[in-house]
Amino acid sequence: MKINSWQQQLNNRLTTVKDIFEFRGWPYSEDEIVKSSSLPMFTTPYYASLIEKADFSDPIFAMTVPSPEEAKSEQNSCDPLEEEKYMPVPGLIRRYPDRAVYTATLNCASRCRHCTRRWQIIKSVCSDWRETLPAVLEYLKKEPKVEEIIISGGDPLTLPDDEIIEIISSLKKQGVKILRLGTRMPVTCPMRITDDLCQKMKAFSPIWIQTHFNHPREVTEEAKEALSKLADNGFPINNQTVLLKGVNDNTETLEKLFRLLVINRVRPYYLFQCDKIPGTEHFWTPLETGLKIIKELRERLSGIAIPTFIVDRPALDGKVPLSYATSKENEIVFSEI
Ligand code: SF4
């Protein structure tokens, strides 16, 4: 069967490890892999086709399949950034005066094992935009200081075009001046970026696209075509990468990724320290790893290819940028890394 459209990709998602092995034509042994997790596993046939080895040393496999390490710490579904505390109305996370995140859906094309919204997905908190949007619009009417909304999820581009446009146009009508749309679709289901979708969204420009490439192997010909459609239609594209042990925690991998992104008109915007979410411990790196990588990237790449290294902290601390150099008494001080 040909699976060319984004709808076919979503309708034919692989929902078990066995499905992935069978899809790739690999022999499957029940004992090898963890079969269940409180965060369900699924992925598109497209993203599964990027897996080269059925092994956790393969970065795409590791981001897709629940590892035995994950099962060891599946005891809870906590909210490490305390986002739930900062929801003035269901679905809207406001940690800053001028901007907020709106989780329009909890659906995604592929479930990332490092997902920060694991708590929300497991508890199914605010999963349907039709239920949450009216109260969000009411709230924004009373809070005109909120000028910027990041439409996020889940992945809002799992919704059909008319639903995305309804969300965007309602927020614009409510006076939102800056819209960002967070999506991993260019990575996990690049056929979602259709000419039609771009044309419809273009009417509401500017919309900043915030995507999530973690590894150079994700920058395929299909992904490049999706990025090109977005850029040709005037959407500025920023990328957020999560630093993940065994996936991309070395300078060579990230140098390659960031070069590819810039060539494809995507600005490497943030490199995130992996959030302290139960079930993701096997992906955590020491802070020094990220600082060392950024230092080495400075010697290899131009400024436009170097993201800010960020630790996201709970509550109102928000995103804290980390740098390997600071100042003391007007002198530059380099940290020992
Ligand atoms: S696409 Fe985003 S929201 Fe969906 S599982 Fe991955 S990180 Fe989480």
Side-chain angles (χ1 to χ4, degrees), residues 278-304:
T280 66
E281 290 86 343
H282 56 295
F283 286 128
W284 298 354
T285 54
L287 287 174
E288 288 73 21
T289 303
L291 286 172
K292 183 167 171 288
I293 289 172
I294 292 289
K295 184 167 184 281
E296 289 173 357
L297 288 176
R298 285 247 159 248
E299 291 155 14
R300 301 182 186 198
L301 291 171
S302 71
I304 56 165

Side-chain angles (χ1 to χ4, degrees), residues 61-72:
F61 189 85
M63 284 187 279
T64 309
V65 173
S67 83
E69 295 302 312
E70 184 176 334
K72 277 185 209 157

Side-chain angles (χ1 to χ4, degrees), residues 147-217:
E147 294 195 333
E148 180 173 348
I149 295 288
I150 299 135
I151 306 171
S152 179
D155 197 317
L157 290 190
T158 52
L159 297 170
D161 291 5
D162 57 336
E163 296 190 24
I164 295 162
I165 296 304
E166 194 175 329
I167 295 168
I168 291 173
S169 68
S170 308
L171 290 168
K172 280 271 179 180
K173 258 188 236 149
Q174 198 47 68
V176 173
K177 295 197 179 86
I178 306 165
L179 277 179
R180 280 195 256 166
L181 196 139
T183 178
R184 194 155 149 77
M185 283 298 209
V187 182
T188 53
C189 186
M191 42 297 281
R192 174 65 186 103
I193 312 301
T194 59
D195 292 323
D196 248 23
L197 174 71
C198 290
Q199 278 306 315
K200 288 175 194 161
M201 291 205 313
K202 202 175 170 179
F204 300 92
S205 283
I207 298 175
W208 292 67
I209 303 294
Q210 198 160 286
T211 188
H212 178 175
F213 285 85
N214 285 334
H215 194 277
R217 271 190 17 220

Side-chain angles (χ1 to χ4, degrees), residues 309-322:
F309 181 40
I310 294 281
V311 179
D312 212 352
R313 301 247 309 163
L316 297 177
D317 279 0
K319 295 187 172 59
V320 181
L322 293 191

Side-chain angles (χ1 to χ4, degrees), residues 230-250:
L230 289 167
D232 287 348
N233 280 286
F235 298 103
I237 316 168
N238 282 319
N239 185 69
Q240 305 191 149
T241 294
V242 182
L243 188 59
L244 300 169
K245 189 154 114 196
V247 170
N248 60 9
D249 60 334
N250 64 80

Side-chain angles (χ1 to χ4, degrees), residues 263-280:
I263 290 168
N264 288 283
R265 293 179 280 176
V266 180
R267 165 86 162 97
Y269 177 56
Y270 281 156
L271 174 65
F272 277 113
Q273 178 76 1
C274 186
D275 292 325
K276 302 280 185 199
I277 304 154
T280 66

